[in-house]
């Protein structure tokens, strides 16, 4: 039987922490996708039911939802988000549109378990 050493214990702790961070990043990605999968409850347009102000954005083309990724940046850092240019307008609103937050509620839900 191998005696535990400081370096073995440290390596095991680092590996466990890396796995835990990766799991949280994936949980956040999944929760964001779920937020973006809710049906709209707002105005009805030609073939789209919009989200109500304060609700996550309703799916139209699915582009935003499909763009959500979790990318490993380095050993203990992940970046979860999108490169879709209109995501921030939906999250925070504009002068002409109330916010349709989906990132912050997802992060809050994952944070609070």
């Amino acid at each position: 039987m191998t005696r535990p050493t400081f370096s073995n214990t440290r390596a095991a702790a680092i590996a466990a922490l890396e796995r835990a961070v990766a799991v949280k990043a994936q949980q956040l990605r999944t929760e964001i996708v779920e937020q973006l999968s809710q049906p709209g409850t707002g105005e009805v347009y030609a073939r789209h039911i919009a989200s109500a102000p304060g609700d996550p954005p309703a799916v139209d083309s699915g582009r935003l939802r499909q763009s959500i990724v979790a990318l490993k940046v380095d050993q203990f850092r992940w970046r979860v988000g999108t490169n879709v240019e209109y995501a921030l307008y939906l999250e925070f609103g504009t002068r002409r549109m109330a916010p349709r937050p989906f990132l912050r509620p997802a992060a809050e839900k994952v944070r609070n378990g």
Side-chain angles (χ1 to χ4, degrees):
M1 184 165 145
T2 306
R3 285 185 55 190
T5 64
F6 175 75
S7 61
N8 289 347
T9 304
R10 182 177 185 272
I14 289 171
L17 184 57
E18 285 180 315
R19 283 191 303 274
V21 172
V23 165
K24 279 296 186 185
Q26 292 301 326
Q27 286 175 342
L28 178 56
R29 184 201 170 277
T30 299
E31 184 56 37
I32 292 169
V33 169
E34 286 180 16
Q35 292 277 327
L36 293 171
S37 298
Q38 304 303 313
T41 59
E43 297 289 324
V44 178
Y45 300 98
R47 56 182 232 304
H48 174 71
I49 301 174
S51 60
D55 288 346
V59 177
D60 189 10
S61 68
R63 180 176 172 222
L64 177 60
R65 182 175 56 190
Q66 291 171 350
S67 74
I68 305 299
V69 294
L71 300 171
K72 186 174 183 178
V73 176
D74 60 32
Q75 188 175 26
F76 298 112
R77 289 186 334 153
W78 285 69
R79 181 168 290 142
V80 180
T82 178
N83 64 352
V84 171
E85 61 280 349
Y86 57 83
L88 289 178
Y89 299 132
L90 291 168
E91 180 73 17
F92 297 105
T94 66
R95 286 185 293 148
R96 297 184 175 146
M97 180 186 75
R100 268 61 175 187
F102 61 98
L103 296 169
R104 292 171 293 160
E108 201 59 38
K109 188 171 181 181
V110 170
R111 183 181 300 123
N112 294 333

